[in-house]
Amino acid sequence: MAEPFSVSVGVRGYETDSQGHLNQAVYLQYAEHARWSLLRAAGIEQTDLLDKGVGPVVLENTVRYLRELRAGDETTVSCAFVWGERKTFGVEQTITRADGTVAATISSVGGLLDLKERRMVADPREYFRALAADPAALGL
């Protein structure tokens, strides 16, 4: 099985809290950055989704903080979509320090919102597959 998609992210000083740790909310920003980076790697831009009248939404996030991250740390953030048969899909992500230590895991549930009807589309895989230049990058 191929390695999941990943993107490098350096921890910046302004992202840390008063103890010098990466602020807890920033982990979700890193996860979001990796998700959009994966979509772009598959050939999907945000405007492509908007032109189709849909937008991705996050319905649930579970973050497990395992090791601290500090300013100057270099990380990789992995991202893999997990497709089911319903309106929602999963996204599994890991934030790993340069030394291989897993700093956090993020499990998300997402969907694709019809921006006119304000309802989830029945099969988000269909939209992503149609828009992607490389559907395999998304596990499709």
Side-chain angles (χ1 to χ4, degrees), residues 53-116:
V54 295
V57 292
V58 175
L59 302 169
E60 178 181 312
N61 284 315
T62 302
V63 182
R64 290 191 173 81
Y65 304 98
L66 303 169
R67 296 289 184 269
E68 66 185 2
L69 291 172
R70 295 183 167 280
D73 284 348
E74 293 297 325
T75 70
T76 57
V77 184
S78 68
C79 185
F81 281 75
V82 180
W83 302 101
E85 300 298 322
R86 301 180 4 204
K87 294 179 181 183
T88 63
F89 52 86
V91 182
E92 295 298 325
Q93 298 183 262
T94 302
I95 300 176
T96 307
R97 294 192 314 211
D99 67 3
T101 302
V102 174
T105 61
I106 300 136
S107 297
S108 304
V109 176
L112 204 53
L113 184 69
D114 180 310
L115 298 174
K116 182 179 178 188

